[in-house]
Amino acid sequence: MKKHMQKLCRFLMQTIGFLLLSVAAMAQNVVSGKVTDSKDGSAVPGVTVTVKGSRTSTQTASDGTYRITVPKGATLLFTSVGFANQESAVNDRNSVDISFVATSQQLNEVVVVGYGTARKKDLTGSMTAISSKDFIKGAVTTPEQLILGKVAGVNITSNGGAPGSGSTIRIRGGASLSASNDPLVIIDGVQLSGVGNGVNSPGSIAGSANGLSLINPNDIETFTILKDASAAAIYGSRASNGVIIITTKKGRRGKPTFNFNTLVSAGAITKKIDVLSANEFREYVQTHGTPAQRALMGPTSTDWQDQVYQTAISTDNNLSVSGGLTGKFNMPYRVSAGYLNQEGVLRTGNLQRVSAGINLSPTFMDNHLKVDINIKASNSKARFANEGAIGAAVSFDPTQPVRTSSPRFGGYYEWLDPSAANGLKGLAPSNPVSLLLERDDRSSVNRSVGNIQFDYKFHFLPELRANLNVGYDVAKGSGTIFVNDSVRSAYKRDVDTAGVRKGGIRNKYLQKIDNKMLEFYLNYAKDLRSIKSRIDVTAGYGFYDNAYNNYNYADYFVDGSKRKQSDPIYATDKPQNRLISFYGRFNYTLNQKYILTINARSDGSSRLNPDNRWITYHSEAFAWRIKDEAFLKNSKTISDLKLRIGYGITGQQDGIPNYSYLAIYSLSNNTAQYQFGNDFYNMYRPNAYNQSLRWEQTATSNIGLDFGFLDSRISGGVDFYLKKTKDLLNDVNQSAGTNFAPIVLSNVGNMENRGVELTVNTQPVRNKNLTWDFGFNVTFNRNRITKLTFTEDPNYPGQRYGGISGGTGNSVLINSVGYNRGAFYVLQQVYDSKTGKPVENLFEDRDRDGAITDKDLYRYKSANPDVFLGFNSSVNYKRWNGGFVMRASLGNYMYNNVYSSTGIQRNIINPLNYLNNGSRNLLESGFAGSGPRFFQSDYYVQNASFLRMDNINIGYDLGKLFNEKATLRANANVQNLFVITKYKGADPEISGGIDNNFYPRPRTFVFGLNLDF
Amino acid sequence: MKKNIIRIPAMVCLMTVIMGSCTKKLDLFPQNDVTSEVVYSTAKGYKESLAKIYGSMALTGNTGPAGAADVFFPGSDEGANADFFRSYWKAQELSTDEAVIAWGDAGIQDFHNMNWTSSNQFLTGVYYKSLYQITLVNEFLRQSIDGKLTSRNISGTDADAIRKYRPEVRFLRAYQYWVLMDLFGNPPFVTEENVIGGPNPAQIARTDLFTYVESELKAIEADLPAPKTNEYGRADQAAAWALLARIYLNAEVYTGSPKYTEAVTYSKKAIDAGYTLSNDYRQLMLADNNLNKNEFIFTINYDGTKTQGYGGTTFLTHASVGGSISASSAGVNSGWSGLRTTKAFVQKFPDPSGATDTRAQFYKSGQNLDIAIQTTFTEGYAITKYRNVTRTGAPGPNDVFVDIDMPVFRLPEMYFIYAEAVKRGGAGGDVTQAVTYMNAIRTRAFGNTNGNINSIDLTLQFILDERSRELYWEGFRRTDLIRYKQFTEDTYLWPWKGGVAGGTGAESYRNIYPLPSADINANINLVQNPRY
């Protein structure tokens, strides 16, 4: 302590002495200059220019220029987020121009880590930070699309082409088998709920396709992706699937600067499902149908897919203002607003989103107290297109017209049966156009995510910081569904409370999310120069409360009358869970070369039995900055070299229902009553429960090497990882008679992911007029299930899943011990040696027992890729810039369910007295579609490896306009330009490995303008 | 510096206090669902639990028509295999001459083709649903002992009523153990002694299970309400007698030792309990068939409005409609184009037109008698036995979910048991009485005495055929054929038996079904039935 005091005194003396000297040097002169980006020479506004050692400072204007009065002999310090600090001694100059170097090439770049920030060079874990300048350009409406293909080990698959639809994000393949594999997403310190995939996934909100889609991508500054346990373990039980930390743009001190960008795009589907044309269909039915079936054909030729798809026009406008109040009240601010209007390629689909964001970062008490206030709010109004029309457009009889002369059923052609009470042919499909145009399904979702964060640097001990973060994530999703009573799908569908048969739908829904959180931590960071060490210790506490409010409503007909017995038992429900955590991190750096990080987190969850509710996670990591060793220090060739080794354990509780350890009863609804005598009783059912549920645990080992050559013109990293998950949350068959369900969520099973990630970024050309960046990343991931049952059973084939359309209970995927997850479990097709065509229902009798049974099924390929790659490149030439992002996925296969359910004779000519169209594959396979096993053929499992051009863009800087008060840039890009694949269906990239009525991803042409003023 | 030394620990202390109080906040409870203590605090709660036990035979789960299945397997269809009677029916009928189905559901064709496996989803469904109902009964018995009633302050008439539920639920448990004994032979065995989440249950041998079912039924016999005195849909003494009669008739199959005398005794008890045949056979399976309660001994109750599901009679009605059959004639909105019958069954009727024997309810228009392809609805005659219309022809209240109650036991079965047991040597009855019973059935069927038989006609084969004509598609056929040694044997063939157009025998191990692989994997105490 004594030593410490001495040092403190010495420091104070020096400071005071310096100040005195400054005062003495009274001679002043004025310096001006311009700060430009070293990369492309563009002006950098908002740079803080400080006279070193004084409080004099200013900021660069929107054109990058500044003016400042300096004393003689002064040195100017240039600082700005995203750029390396730079100093320049003024000497006798009147003009000091600075070529500012963006910190992407700089190791001093500060990246956001859990509960704080760290210099990139000090990182020990495997993490990747991507900032706004590296985001994908163009019409990006959901945040995760910004980093598509940019990060090794991160696989992002959009869930289809619907407006605002989400993505499946997998970091290093995910750690879980049947529980959630979604990463934890934290935006400005607030955990975001509802990152799930689609409307009904856990955590999503009613009326919104995806939680992330409610955040305006234009407000995002950085993405940090924590991939291994040593990086993520501070998030403990929520970290097994990786963590994505998003920070939004903040204000910069100085005069207000405005940014306005606008873009307009047009999207259209790239490929239709290849079905029989009307003429082919006629010929087929003439040849194969009975006279009665032939008579069913109509006189017209309709391409139903043309009828349901449209060119989708979208616009996106964003305005932001950023600046800082100075003087007594020092407060940088940024305010933004956006309006997105996006059409779907499936007719009627539309999303309108108004979003707003406010960031305030005032400081008080001489910068000792920093306050960060972030509020993001949005309102999304969506009309959901009825996606049932996608499949209906494939299957509907192409010889029938869209509309008829009869006004019945809304004037649409439908299959009729005069003998039926409602006049409609039962089980026949609905007219696809009617499905779309006559269903009005609208939602409105209000959402706000925000927090206030106090960061206090103790006056008496500036090395110690206290940080309090209070945040919320609230949402209200509501909607209405309206279907006219003349429409087939809702025609005379049931009786009302008076027993009168009615039709149509007039329903509503409402759901609220109410998530709150509080975090508090202390951080102590200190350079101990005497022993060439630095320590950085953090300890904290967190409280997280997640609640839903679900409102239940009866079912109404279009005339407003209520469907009989449709009243909900409970008007509301409030599922809720909480998490309480204690966490800490210890960082020790020796000699700036050897870095040790230890993380620990103890989590307690309300979802688990009090007896096994708490668990502690931890990680240890070590990094060696080889570059800073004497033998490399002066190397010009090697500009960076760092070795990272880490090990840690993280957990997972997502997927555990809120109260599953409690023995509770629930009451049946009003259409599940039972009759005794003349009375009906709602039924009290005991629910299955598992008191011994606990956390999934993943142990990750990681070895990584970061490298940079030739002044970082070639840089990158390679990581080897091994992830072992035990106590997998799995739906496990119970011994019959021991619980109230045959399958109960239990902790059984182990799984491994091992892989290699390589990222290389290069800058082949760098000069004043031309820079060219090229980067690629590649990930090899191998997945093995090592245990699935309580007791080892060599006869247990595994968990079958992956239901397909065509007969109920048919599935084509399996998880089994010793194999990768998501293997296809199919029969080996036998082909005609002469024609090469598959012979229907002829399969390899693999067990040679003389019959084709389940025992002849085999594991064939997998839905998951072995390798995925990302390529990105950008070129800046004078005022031009251009670039592209491509992704490739290798070794992933797909079950073509469109072929197997529609490309068969039984589908086209069926015994139900109506006709269906189907895939043209029918003409190739010639399958009748009879028998219970033809669809289990590996013939339908196709190679879905692909190379996709996700984005190609070009931009031009028009320079200064309006009296040099503004700069304007124009850009254009094409998204989803092409896909190269052997896959025969419409799109090879479908999460889950089964292709059935997938909402097609459009090809989109975008034009945009960006104005700074 | 001294200050710091004080302040930091003080802050740590403060934080610890805050955090300590927070950890209690991890005890959360649902808003609507309740614990057993709440459910069983009132007599109403007991009755709603009783409703669940009965209702689990009629419904797939707690949300009608679907959405919260009692036994659900991922990827499967709730209606198709989470319903007790629908899966039970498939196991009992699709495997026989009475029924074929056109669908492509995984494993559904295996019944008729006689190549089912231990992973068959419908066998898994009926097995788990039977044991589910047994588990519910066990829980109810634990919750309704006198000590619990006293501690919950339930007394007087409420307590008396609850005590009377106990023999009823034990009857249901015995019934489900009979189902398991008949279909699977040697299932796991759980009673109220086995707690939830407890160790793997032991397996019980078929003969021991027979003894258990018999002893349970006899133990509750006296405590059950007298015949026809309980609420419609609830079990009484006659139901227990009917089940005893049924197990005794099949005792030789289950245990190797015949018990025909007992079969005569108990079928007679049920017959003499005051039941009578309804007038019109064609009105037995209609939307208002609760009007037949003089003939029905025990029913599973369905209601198109309040008891909705895709199983049971809703399945039987919709799946029978296809081809040129008009859905509205069956009182439903659409046909599911599934179920038909084979020529072998049609030929059980000398005149299949229905003009003489009204039980012949075939739909022939556009249907081929011979089946070329099982998966085409128009191959094989359709059957119009189940129709969601009332006696007056009016449609049921809901055209998707039907109102037809399913009799589990009805009087004619008791007549048949009596006759067969007598013919097989059971004491306490006589052929003359048996012929009288047969003629009662046939008189109703023919509308006159033209079809009546004499005692010389009363052969065992006649009884089997007559059973089929009377009880077809009610879930009896497989059990009957096994008892007559005509199920797997090649002495009696029907179209596509064993997957061959002309029919072929199967190996005798298929006289019982395999235990589902799901439970074999979960319960190490289970030994799979031979050869599976």
Side-chain angles (χ1 to χ4, degrees), chain A residues 419 427 460 541 572 578 580 582 613 665 669 671 673-674 677 685 735-736 738 793 796 808 810 854 906 912, chain B residues 4 7 19 22 25 27 31-32 34 64 68 70 105-106 119 197 200 232 301 306-308 328 337 375 521:
Chain A
S419 76
L427 297 187
F460 54 86
Y541 163 80
T572 64
R578 286 190 184 136
I580 291 178
F582 302 92
R613 172 174 284 172
Y665 281 63
N669 76 349
T671 46
Q673 301 181 62
Y674 196 68
R685 174 171 78 172
S735 293
T738 62
D793 178 2
Y796 179 52
T808 63
N810 293 310
D854 277 3
R906 183 181 152 88
L912 302 173
Chain B
N4 303 347
R7 278 193 201 176
M19 292 161 197
C22 282
K25 292 184 174 168
D27 294 322
Q31 178 182 297
N32 298 323
V34 294
D70 296 330
D105 306 29
S119 58
N200 286 323
Y232 179 67
N301 293 344
K306 294 177 178 167
T307 311
Q308 294 186 345
S328 57
S337 304
T375 50
N521 290 319

Side-chain angles (χ1 to χ4, degrees), chain A residues 339-342 350-354 379-383:
Chain A
Y339 174 71
L340 168 76
N341 187 343
Q342 190 179 9
N350 181 266
L351 170 72
Q352 291 179 62
R353 181 183 64 208
V354 180
N379 170 267
S380 299
K381 283 193 166 44
R383 178 170 176 190

Side-chain angles (χ1 to χ4, degrees), chain A residues 107 185 452 621 674 678 698 756 898 990 1000:
Chain A
L107 301 162
V185 176
I452 178 162
Y674 196 68
N678 293 321
T698 303
V756 184
V898 177
I990 298 170

Side-chain angles (χ1 to χ4, degrees), chain A residues 153-219:
Chain A
V154 179
N155 200 4
I156 297 171
T157 307
S158 68
N159 297 331
S165 74
S167 302
T168 303
I169 306 172
R170 292 290 171 266
I171 297 177
R172 290 184 169 176
S176 190
L177 192 61
S178 29
S180 170
N181 275 310
D182 294 331
L184 173 69
V185 176
I186 291 173
I187 178 154
D188 288 332
V190 182
Q191 178 187 348
L192 203 64
S193 63
V195 190
N197 320 310
V199 176
N200 292 316
S201 69
S204 66
I205 176 142
S208 165
N210 158 282
L212 268 174
S213 75
L214 296 161
I215 307 298
N216 185 343
N218 280 289
D219 287 344

Side-chain angles (χ1 to χ4, degrees), chain B residues 278-416:
Chain B
S278 296
N279 291 331
D280 187 346
Y281 183 89
R282 295 193 169 190
Q283 292 176 350
L284 286 180
M285 299 300 176
L286 298 184
D288 53 356
N289 67 342
N290 56 319
L291 297 172
N292 301 314
K293 59 178 78 147
N294 280 328
E295 177 171 338
F296 294 171
I297 298 171
F298 177 61
T299 53
I300 303 173
N301 293 344
Y302 297 93
D303 186 87
T305 310
K306 294 177 178 167
T307 311
Q308 294 186 345
Y310 291 99
T313 51
T314 291
F315 157 73
L316 290 171
T317 310
H318 283 273
S320 315
V321 174
S324 60
I325 302 174
S326 104
S328 57
S329 70
V332 290
N333 67 337
S334 69
W336 296 351
S337 304
L339 297 171
R340 298 97 62 216
T341 191
T342 70
K343 187 160 130 185
F345 174 67
V346 176
Q347 289 173 344
K348 295 280 181 289
F349 291 92
D351 169 17
S353 72
T356 49
D357 187 337
T358 57
R359 296 172 301 184
Q361 292 175 273
F362 299 112
Y363 186 90
K364 301 172 201 164
S365 171
Q367 304 288 123
N368 297 322
L369 179 59
D370 287 301
I371 297 172
I373 303 169
Q374 292 180 69
T375 50
T376 299
F377 185 84
T378 48
E379 309 277 290
Y381 284 176
I383 283 178
T384 57
K385 183 169 180 173
Y386 295 90
R387 282 173 298 129
N388 186 33
V389 294
T390 64
R391 289 181 177 186
T392 61
N398 188 301
D399 63 5
V400 177
F401 307 104
V402 310
D403 255 45
I404 310 167
D405 297 339
M406 187 68 220
V408 175
F409 299 99
R410 61 183 179 95
L411 181 60
E413 185 200 358
M414 295 301 117
Y415 288 165
F416 286 121

Side-chain angles (χ1 to χ4, degrees), chain B residues 43-58:
Chain B
K44 182 167 176 274
Y46 276 96
K47 188 130 193 196
E48 285 167 333
S49 288
L50 182 73
K52 179 64 197 175
I53 297 172
Y54 276 99
S56 71
M57 286 176 94

Side-chain angles (χ1 to χ4, degrees), chain A residues 992-1008:
Chain A
I994 295 170
D995 176 6
N996 190 20
N997 299 337
F998 182 70
Y999 193 123
R1001 294 188 178 90
R1003 177 185 296 135
T1004 310
F1005 296 85
V1006 188
F1007 176 76

